Amino acid sequence: MSKVLLLAGDGIGPEIVTEAEKVLVLLNEKLNLNLDLDHAKVGGSAIDEFGVPLPDSTLDKAKAADAILLGAVGGPKWDALDMAIRPEKGLLGLRSNLELFGNLRPAILYPQLADASSLKPEIVSGLDILIVRELTGGIYFGQPRGVRVLESGERQGYNTYVYSESEIRRIGKVAFEAAQKRGGKLCSVDKANVLEVTVLWREIMDDMAKDYPDVELSHMYVDNAAMQLVRAPKQFDVVVTGNMFGDILSDAAAMLTGSIGMLPSASLDVNNKGMYEPCHGSAPDIAGQGIANPLATILSVAMMLRYSLNENAAADLIEKAVSNVLDQGLRTADIISKGLTKVTTAEMGDAVIEALNKL
Ligand code: IPM
Ligand code: MG
């Protein structure tokens, strides 16, 4: 029996996780996956109920689970809170406590969605990039951090950008191995013309490349990488980068595919235990309206089945069902274009269920 913990979170989180749960429940029965599903609170909803974004009870359940599905956290309701107890700390706390350092963010363009991309179809058609983002280090976790008062009386905010060699090597391993299984190309993104921490990053990637002669390693500064992603994105196969650059570049890469509402992600520890989430956030502006796209979360379930639960056949079924639903012309508001059928969050979830039942 494998334990799966569902953390719906805030904003559109509960709506999209409900649809993903339907898919998980169906496959669990249909394929006898022997999954035990449980639920807990994280983020703003946990603050409302327990006063903290990551209650011990949730962390305990997360530690005991084989895999976690998370919706999204955060929203304007909690924006005024002190940084230390904001909803985002719940998510960051899960990532760091579970040592989920390896974040895989695939950006794949479904051919059916070429029109939904803000770039010309010829620039994005066939796009298939994997961004490997380091997730538990770098400037998001570096100490010291805070806001201090200088002798002059002026306030100064500060954060620390640090990476130790072992942290760089373990994310490098994930990226080189991913490149071996894909197109054999790895681009390491840094800011080695300005930041010493990324000079070390680059040095270590070069050193590791000797052990992976079948992978072609290149380096790119992050500002150039941002430009290249929107200029000629198909030049990339696997991209590896630190926490902050990966956060930013993965949003840009997501948009190439038509909508960030389509992109799943996996965050893995050394043993491939993982937390799975859509790349998008809690979208408070559309929360509760039933119009959010549940496909990124449903596709995150596919990643979970593949990476943490070793159920490749079930993962394939989900991806096929999503593709079939797109073929039928069903679209949520974020990916709608002329002549297609606009559906709600629940209608999209039901359509995936129906497609799965036909496979
Ligand atoms: C993401 C999100 C998070 C991050 C936020 C919500 C803390 O933007 O998963 O990309 O910055 O990592
Ligand atoms: Mg982000």
Side-chain angles (χ1 to χ4, degrees):
M1 157 125 53
S2 301
K3 285 186 178 179
V4 176
L5 180 65
L6 303 168
L7 301 171
D10 313 317
I12 58 171
E15 298 162 56
I16 53 179
V17 168
T18 297
E19 301 313 312
E21 184 171 359
K22 283 192 211 164
V23 170
L24 208 46
V25 167
L26 176 80
L27 289 178
N28 197 17
E29 282 170 15
K30 216 175 143 153
L31 306 177
N32 285 320
L33 300 180
N34 206 8
L35 303 179
D36 173 44
L37 307 188
D38 195 3
H39 301 82
K41 296 241 155 112
V42 71
S45 63
I47 295 173
D48 289 348
E49 196 174 323
F50 303 97
V52 287
L54 180 56
D56 287 343
S57 53
T58 298
L59 184 57
D60 289 346
K61 281 186 178 186
K63 282 183 175 162
D66 297 289
I68 302 161
L69 182 71
L70 183 130
V73 297
K77 183 176 173 195
W78 306 281
D79 275 354
L81 290 174
D82 188 82
M83 190 69 93
I85 54 155
R86 280 176 58 143
E88 289 79 359
K89 278 282 175 202
L91 178 56
L92 295 172
L94 279 169
R95 289 174 180 169
S96 65
N97 275 291
L98 302 176
E99 290 194 68
L100 305 172
F101 67 94
N103 185 209
L104 309 182
R105 298 191 162 188
I108 296 167
L109 182 84
Y110 281 83
Q112 302 96 320
L113 295 184
D115 285 343
S117 173
S118 46
L119 296 190
K120 296 189 197 97
E122 64 266 28
I123 303 221
V124 289
S125 74
L127 184 85
D128 182 356
I129 302 177
L130 176 67
I131 296 191
V132 178
R133 169 188 175 194
E134 199 294 325
L135 202 59
T136 53
I139 195 166
Y140 287 13
F141 288 93
Q143 294 287 349
R145 59 192 297 157
V147 178
R148 59 194 163 205
V149 182
L150 300 175
E151 265 174 38
S152 64
E154 190 189 7
R155 282 181 304 162
Q156 185 186 56
Y158 59 100
N159 288 89
T160 307
Y161 192 176
V162 277
Y163 269 119
S164 59
E165 181 160 355
S166 57
E167 285 176 306
I168 301 170
R169 284 192 186 274
R170 71 178 181 178
I171 193 69
K173 182 168 183 282
V174 171
F176 276 104
E177 287 178 1
Q180 280 181 321
K181 289 191 203 126
R182 293 173 41 107
K185 274 174 37 177
L186 176 62
C187 179
S188 171
V189 171
D190 61 39
K191 189 71 186 172
N193 51 345
V194 178
L195 302 171
E196 286 82 353
V197 44
T198 68
V199 173
L200 179 68
W201 177 286
R202 189 176 276 225
E203 227 177 86
I204 290 171
M205 290 295 163
D206 275 332
D207 185 48
M208 291 188 79
K210 295 177 201 146
D211 296 332
Y212 300 89
D214 48 341
V215 175
E216 183 196 320
L217 174 71
S218 61
H219 302 279
M220 200 179 274
Y221 296 140
V222 63
D223 45 354
N224 186 23
M227 181 173 76
Q228 296 301 332
L229 266 180
V230 291
R231 193 189 72 86
K234 282 189 268 180
Q235 70 185 281
F236 296 106
D237 176 17
V238 180
V239 172
V240 63
T241 189
N243 205 340
M244 178 165 64
F245 297 160
D247 186 18
I248 298 165
L249 294 180
S250 61
D251 268 32
M255 207 51 224
L256 304 173
T257 69
S259 169
I260 196 168
M262 292 298 300
L263 293 200
S265 78
S267 307
L268 305 173
D269 74 2
V270 275
N271 302 313
N272 280 349
K273 168 174 170 165
M275 182 159 76
Y276 297 81
E277 359 161 11
C279 281
H280 60 70
S282 58
D285 52 323
I286 58 162
Q289 297 177 32
I291 59 170
N293 186 348
L295 293 180
T297 317
I298 290 172
L299 290 166
S300 297
V301 172
M303 287 190 93
M304 170 192 285
L305 289 164
R306 185 169 289 126
Y307 289 97
S308 288
L309 304 176
N310 272 322
E311 298 285 357
N312 286 317
D316 291 345
L317 282 179
I318 294 180
E319 284 161 2
K320 181 81 187 103
V322 167
S323 182
N324 288 353
V325 163
L326 294 175
D327 279 340
Q328 290 164 36
L330 304 183
R331 302 283 189 274
T332 41
D334 55 316
I335 48 175
I336 190 77
S337 52
K338 253 211 199 125
L340 301 172
T341 312
K342 192 159 161 182
V343 295
T344 64
T345 310
E347 285 166 348
M348 186 58 105
D350 290 341
V352 175
I353 295 285
E354 208 181 304
L356 277 171
N357 276 325
K358 284 190 194 144
L359 287 174

